[in-house]
Amino acid sequence: MPPATAVREIFNPRTGQRMCFLQTAADTDGELLRIETVNPPTGVAEPLHVHPFQETRAALVSGTLRFVVAGEERRLGPGDDLTIPAGTPHSFVNDGEADAVAIQEARPALRTADFFQTYFRLAERGELDDHGSPSLLRFALLGPEFADEIRLVSPPWAVQRALFAVLGPVARLRGLTAD
């Protein structure tokens, strides 16, 4: 997998989302990932997830984003920001009428930039379903690869790990990789 610093801008053709890596782990000795994101109004929320070891932050520059954090909804507009503690279930969606531009951060950076690059490459190759999810076999490789950076809330982590243990070897036998 290429390092996060190899690419500074990425594009997801499935959603139209763009990311520009302003500061990466390589730039900050691993302390911070800072990204400018452009999220078109799709009305489709990302899956409920956690960053188990990272505090994340979003500051809206323009447009609106609706966040659900620990079951509570909050709409951010220009000038608003939100900090999400590590391990807190959350998702967001642009259900407005215009692109939402935000500065998003993750502390520590870990390999989150690598995750986004991998995920956007899958989208470029048309390897995500209508909900933006990879196949179950590909997920069985992605899940453990980026477990420190991001985890789905459901099914529970213990169930996911059991599935990864069973399906990961099958995926590798079929020639799949996390990327």
Side-chain angles (χ1 to χ4, degrees):
M1 217 175 293
T5 55
V7 176
R8 284 293 181 173
E9 292 190 39
I10 58 177
F11 175 71
N12 182 333
R14 193 188 67 75
T15 62
Q17 185 181 32
R18 293 189 315 266
M19 291 185 171
C20 177
F21 296 110
L22 302 174
Q23 293 178 290
T24 66
D27 302 324
T28 64
D29 291 327
E31 291 183 26
L32 170 70
L33 173 64
R34 192 164 187 260
I35 309 167
E36 179 183 71
T37 63
V38 178
N39 300 282
T42 63
V44 178
E46 63 183 18
L48 191 62
H49 65 279
V50 298
H51 302 281
F53 305 109
Q54 295 170 295
E55 175 184 272
T56 57
R57 181 175 181 271
L60 261 285
V61 176
S62 64
T64 61
L65 289 175
R66 181 173 47 89
F67 281 80
V68 176
V69 179
E72 299 207 11
E73 186 174 308
R74 180 159 172 215
R75 184 172 298 280
L76 300 185
D80 293 335
D81 64 78
L82 174 68
T83 299
I84 303 169
T88 303
H90 65 281
S91 68
F92 72 89
V93 62
N94 180 352
D95 57 0
E97 297 181 10
D99 285 356
V101 178
I103 303 299
Q104 297 192 21
E105 298 178 348
R107 293 177 188 273
L110 303 178
R111 295 181 53 237
T112 304
D114 292 336
F115 168 77
F116 286 128
Q117 287 182 19
T118 299
Y119 192 79
F120 280 34
R121 276 194 299 274
L122 293 173
E124 287 171 3
R125 295 193 310 248
E127 296 182 22
L128 301 177
D129 67 18
D130 291 342
H131 302 286
S133 299
S135 71
L136 186 57
L137 287 180
R138 178 86 62 189
F139 181 67
L141 299 173
L142 282 169
E145 181 75 20
F146 295 106
D148 287 349
E149 290 76 19
I150 188 166
R151 297 177 187 172
L152 293 178
V153 171
S154 181
W157 180 237
V159 173
Q160 290 181 57
R161 286 182 42 206
L163 287 171
F164 299 156
V166 171
L167 296 177
V170 174
R172 284 186 285 282
L173 283 172
R174 291 194 175 185
L176 294 178
T177 63
D179 189 13

